[in-house]
Amino acid sequence: IPVSDAPYVREKKSIVPEKEEVVSPPVVEGSSCRPAEPGNVSLSGESLAAVRKILREEIEKAIHKDDALAGIRELIHREYGNVFATPLRYPGGKARLGPWLSRVMRHNRISGGSYVEPYAGGSGAAIYLLTRGYVDHIVINDLDPVIHAFWWSVLHDTDTFVELVEQTPVTVESWERQKAVHARFEEHSTTDVGFATFFLSRTNRSGILTGGVIGGKKQSGPFPIDARFNKSNLIERIRHVASLKRHISVFREDAVDLIVGLKGELSRRSLIYLDPPYFHKGCQLYRNHYKPKDHAVIATTICQIDIPWIVTYDNCPEIRDLYQGRQYAEFSMTYTASHKRITGREILFYGNLVLPESPTLSKSG
């Protein structure tokens, strides 16, 4: 049975990633471009686009090998930043921490290794670090089957996924159909579930999978349903992530099981970044949220490992008590709850690391 047609099932597999390979992104070969004579440079729009594409891919190849080319990374980001962004919108996502995390990794001399997200969601920071060459391998894990289905299908059934993006009209009727897939995900293929997750994240307010549609069902709001659904740009992002799949491991494991399972496999040149559901607002933002005892188990587990780690949370007394005595820093984060934009104070705990600066959020992340 083709994978894309099989019912969604949880795969029985080891949580230990395969041996990492240093594989550079694909490079366009066989180009017939030759240097033009001085003063005689004339390229059509199509030719110029081809040259820029080759240049971008050559530079991508270089930055995976040389961490010193930070300036070139920023040049690529300014020119092609959207291509390197995660395709999945996700509430409370920490993509904007990506640039700061890269500086933390460089300062602690752990660049070029592995980066693990036990609560992946949109994996914004992970995609940032991988596409810019700060890490060689990322582990994307999410226990939520619909999130796992998205990442699995993007990496392993890319063409079918892209075809769904191209052919599915962005309408309220399509939105209703994708909501129905989520409601009974066990009856649908992994790729269909993954696409439903993608569609809802791009058409729901603030990317909340259980939230309402942008513009309302009558489309009388200030923004239409497709306000966040630029198909050509999103397809480019999807294909870019898929081209790096040999650098990516995707799992659907409990966060504690993942950490324990990887503890003996990861080198010191790794970073585990945990962004568990918020303690107080988690039930409003996520399909899966924690009870107090779940937060306590995570705190106990992460504080016992000797690999560099970071945990971010909403800044509240209950969480501070769980991580009492641990190093921490505070920062602000804007998110949505009950259709309101809220700027809340977040807290970041860390271990086996030295922070070169306070946490900062970058719009370009």
Side-chain angles (χ1 to χ4, degrees), residues 133-154:
Y134 291 111
V135 298
D136 181 64
H137 196 89
I138 61 174
V139 176
I140 294 176
N141 178 78
D142 207 296
L143 187 59
D144 188 337
V146 305
I147 299 296
H148 172 266
F150 166 77
W151 289 110
W152 186 94
S153 55
V154 163

Side-chain angles (χ1 to χ4, degrees), residues 18-156:
E18 297 177 359
K19 183 178 180 181
E20 296 175 3
E21 299 180 69
V22 179
V23 181
S24 299
V27 176
V28 176
E29 298 180 352
S31 171
S32 60
C33 295
R34 290 177 291 180
E37 294 295 329
N40 188 31
V41 178
S42 178
L43 292 174
S44 67
E46 182 177 354
S47 298
L48 181 59
V51 171
R52 286 158 69 97
K53 183 174 185 291
I54 293 171
L55 176 62
R56 181 187 71 191
E57 292 173 340
E58 289 289 352
I59 294 175
E60 284 180 41
K61 179 180 179 182
I63 65 175
H64 272 275
K65 296 180 179 179
D66 187 355
D67 190 58
L69 300 178
I72 293 180
R73 285 195 186 91
E74 295 308 314
L75 175 63
I76 293 175
H77 171 63
R78 288 195 298 271
E79 190 68 33
Y80 304 103
N82 285 339
V83 178
F84 293 154
T86 175
L88 190 67
R89 295 178 72 214
Y90 200 73
K94 298 300 190 297
R96 288 182 293 161
L97 275 178
W100 177 79
L101 287 170
S102 71
R103 295 192 291 274
V104 170
M105 297 189 80
R106 290 202 306 271
H107 183 78
N108 289 271
R109 298 187 177 183
I110 57 175
S111 297
S114 298
Y115 174 81
V116 182
E117 285 195 0
Y119 304 93
S123 297
I127 298 302
Y128 177 95
L129 293 171
L130 180 64
T131 57
R132 288 161 177 79
Y134 291 111
V135 298
D136 181 64
H137 196 89
I138 61 174
V139 176
I140 294 176
N141 178 78
D142 207 296
L143 187 59
D144 188 337
V146 305
I147 299 296
H148 172 266
F150 166 77
W151 289 110
W152 186 94
S153 55
V154 163
L155 294 179
H156 300 292

